[in-house]
Amino acid sequence: MAIYINQGTRVLVQGITGRQGSFHTEQMLTYGTKIIGGVSPGKGGQVVEGISVFDTVFEAMEKESADASILFIPAPYARDAAFEALDAGIRILVLITEHIPLHDAVEIMAFAETRKATVIGPNTFGLVSSGLCKIGIMPNRYFIPGPVGVVSRSGTLCYEIVGHLTENRIGTTTVVGLGGDRVVGLHFIDVLEKFAEDDDTKAVVLVGEIGGSAEEEAAAYISSKFSKPVVAYLAGRSAPPGKRMGHAGAIVSGKSSTADAKVEALEAVGVPVCDTVQEIVDKTKELLGR
């Protein structure tokens, strides 16, 4: 049972005529994603990778309805593009864009809530239902079907972890990139709730990082409401307090933001926190009984 997206999910690409938009459109199509249109104001009528381009989301939706949209839109214009997609009826919005102004991000989340839509990101690599649908920028070759769900605050680190799992013949169900900005649409608990309901997900890899309190909140949820085995990795454990990492959300600003506090919270509820990627692979094998 896929969560969030599946082989039938119909996808729009906003910003499809740009360099990143066109490149990743081709990659998503190769993976098997059902892209039904692209949007680029002023460039309606063009064709990119065999996909028709429209001036607005509404025009695209009039031609063929879509469930999800992925945005390759510069940060100053991302709010308007997100609002347009949500207003047109998009239910899954993937915001690849990083450094969207804080107030814009807050407004996007508030509007999405009124439309009962799910926002992935901002500053996310996207999400993938392995072997069925990819909406994002992750490399295709790493994501093969299997029993492990992955939820991550980090992009490149997540690819490395999933790649090592794949090399060890451990595939994934769904992989979700929460995003690295300070305000994001999904949190660990949201995705863990979905994994709890998914019969195909037998174990979960949680990839956190310093900053914020998301990992402690996840630990509390796991302790009381999540029965499947979880293994964790924490990026930025060696960063000094107050040091800004690559993500806006990865800033140590109090005791609950520190690596030590997060490790303590997770290990206290039986979640092993690994020091290396290989240790994640070994521990995941153990949890799966392999």
Side-chain angles (χ1 to χ4, degrees), residues 83 85-91 109-118:
F83 269 52
L86 294 167
D87 205 29
I90 290 295
R91 290 291 174 260
M109 303 312 161
F111 188 51
E113 187 173 353
T114 68
R115 295 306 172 101
K116 295 181 169 54
T118 299

Side-chain angles (χ1 to χ4, degrees), residues 210 216 234 236-237 255-267:
I210 59 170
E216 290 91 337
L234 188 64
R237 292 176 69 172
K255 185 179 184 302
S256 66
S257 297
T258 65
D260 289 345
K262 295 175 186 299
V263 171
E264 182 180 338
L266 289 165
E267 291 186 339

Side-chain angles (χ1 to χ4, degrees), residues 187-207:
H187 302 277
F188 285 124
I189 292 175
D190 300 312
V191 183
L192 288 171
E193 287 176 344
K194 293 288 190 181
F195 283 146
E197 300 168 356
D198 179 24
D199 293 338
D200 294 331
T201 298
K202 307 302 183 185
V204 172
V205 174
L206 185 151
V207 185

Side-chain angles (χ1 to χ4, degrees), residues 13-159:
V13 180
Q14 291 175 256
I16 191 171
T17 57
R19 183 166 58 90
Q20 292 297 320
S22 59
F23 173 80
H24 289 293
T25 292
E26 188 274 331
Q27 293 293 303
M28 288 185 283
L29 287 168
T30 298
Y31 195 78
T33 302
K34 187 177 290 185
I35 298 176
I36 56 90
V39 177
S40 190
K43 297 184 179 179
Q46 294 186 16
V47 176
V48 175
E49 299 295 337
I51 303 299
S52 298
V53 180
F54 299 87
D55 288 318
T56 69
V57 175
F58 287 96
E59 288 179 16
M61 294 281 273
E62 284 178 359
K63 186 71 173 178
E64 289 194 70
S65 63
D67 311 297
S69 185
I70 180 170
L71 271 65
F72 295 96
I73 304 292
Y77 313 108
R79 174 193 174 278
D80 288 347
F83 269 52
E84 181 187 357
L86 294 167
D87 205 29
I90 290 295
R91 290 291 174 260
I92 298 283
L93 190 66
V94 180
L95 297 176
I96 300 298
T97 311
E98 63 179 325
H99 303 312
I100 292 176
L102 185 62
H103 286 91
D104 287 1
V106 171
E107 290 181 6
I108 291 169
M109 303 312 161
F111 188 51
E113 187 173 353
T114 68
R115 295 306 172 101
K116 295 181 169 54
T118 299
V119 178
I120 316 294
N123 194 7
T124 178
F125 58 78
L127 75 166
V128 56
S129 181
S130 295
L132 302 177
C133 178
K134 184 190 89 165
I135 309 178
I137 61 174
M138 59 286 274
N140 291 353
R141 65 186 181 277
Y142 295 146
F143 297 86
I144 63 171
V148 178
V150 183
V151 55
S152 176
R153 289 176 66 186
S154 171
T156 307
L157 179 57
C158 184
Y159 310 158

